[in-house]
Amino acid sequence: MSEPTVTRYHPVAVALHWLLGLALIGNFALGLYMADLPFSPARLQYYSWHKWAGVLVLTFSLVRLLTRLMARPPALPVAVEATMPAWQRLAHHATHAGLYALFFAVPLLGWAYSSAAGFPLVLFGVLPLPDFVPVSEGLADVLKPLHKFSALAMAALVLLHVAGALKHHFVDRDGLLRRMALAGR
C-alpha cells in the first residue's frame, strides 16, 4: 500500500493550532482548579492568570482566524473524503465551526462576567483593559454559568477533535494527522 500524499497546513497555522491547544487545555485545567478554592491571595492570583490566558486565547484565536482566511486550509485528501461517511464529514465541519465560535465566545463571556462582577481585567498586572459590560450583579449571575457551560462545551469539542485525529491516525492510518504535525516531511 502506498503512502498517502499529505497536504500540510501553513506553518503559522500549525504553530497557532498547537499554541491555542496548549493554552486552552492549561486554562481549562486552571479554571477547574481555581473555581472551588477558598478566598485567598493564591485564588486571586489564579483568577488573574486565568483572565490573562483568556486574553491570549482570544488573541491567538483572532490571529488564527485571520491566518485561516488568508491561507485557506488544505482540502481533505480525495481518498479520505471518498471513504468518510457523510455523518463524519458533517461532524468534522460542525466540530471545527463550533470550536472557532467557542474560541471567541468563551473568553469574551469570561471578560464580560469579570466586568459585570466588578473585577477589572488588568493584563499581566500592568495594562488595564476596558470593561466589557457595566457592573451588574444580575448580569454577572447570568454570565457566570454561560462562561462555564461554554467552556465545558469547548472541552467536549476539543476531546471530539482529538478523538477524530487519533482515529484517523491509528485506525484509518490515512496520514491525515501529519497535516498538522509540528515538523513536516
Side-chain angles (χ1 to χ4, degrees), residues 88-151:
Q88 282 184 9
R89 281 193 302 279
L90 178 63
H92 164 82
H93 293 296
T95 300
H96 281 94
L99 282 170
Y100 269 92
L102 290 169
F103 289 161
F104 292 95
V106 173
L108 290 174
L109 285 167
W111 188 350
Y113 164 65
S114 187
S115 296
F119 298 110
L121 202 164
V122 182
L123 190 59
F124 306 121
V126 295
L127 179 63
L129 298 181
D131 284 335
F132 203 61
V133 297
V135 174
S136 165
E137 186 178 336
L139 183 56
D141 289 343
V142 169
L143 291 170
K144 185 177 182 178
L146 286 176
H147 176 62
K148 176 183 176 180
F149 293 129
S150 64

Side-chain angles (χ1 to χ4, degrees), residues 33 35 65 72 76 105 108:
Y33 175 72
L65 179 61
R72 301 296 295 168
L76 285 172
L108 290 174

Side-chain angles (χ1 to χ4, degrees), residues 1-148:
M1 179 182 222
S2 68
E3 185 81 11
T5 303
V6 177
T7 305
R8 295 188 38 82
Y9 280 81
H10 189 278
V12 173
V14 172
L16 287 168
H17 173 270
W18 293 107
L19 277 172
L20 188 54
L22 291 172
L24 290 172
I25 292 167
N27 210 26
F28 183 77
L30 179 59
L32 288 177
Y33 175 72
M34 70 184 197
D36 294 325
L37 290 176
F39 185 79
S40 68
R43 182 178 186 204
L44 293 175
Q45 184 63 62
Y46 296 147
Y47 269 83
S48 291
W49 292 348
H50 183 73
K51 290 193 265 187
W52 302 345
V55 171
L56 290 176
V57 164
L58 196 55
T59 303
F60 291 158
S61 298
L62 180 60
V63 174
R64 184 158 186 219
L65 179 61
L66 292 173
T67 301
R68 186 178 182 103
L69 293 173
M70 292 185 325
R72 301 296 295 168
L76 285 172
V78 175
V80 172
E81 184 88 32
T83 60
M84 190 182 286
W87 71 268
Q88 282 184 9
R89 281 193 302 279
L90 178 63
H92 164 82
H93 293 296
T95 300
H96 281 94
L99 282 170
Y100 269 92
L102 290 169
F103 289 161
F104 292 95
V106 173
L108 290 174
L109 285 167
W111 188 350
Y113 164 65
S114 187
S115 296
F119 298 110
L121 202 164
V122 182
L123 190 59
F124 306 121
V126 295
L127 179 63
L129 298 181
D131 284 335
F132 203 61
V133 297
V135 174
S136 165
E137 186 178 336
L139 183 56
D141 289 343
V142 169
L143 291 170
K144 185 177 182 178
L146 286 176
H147 176 62
K148 176 183 176 180

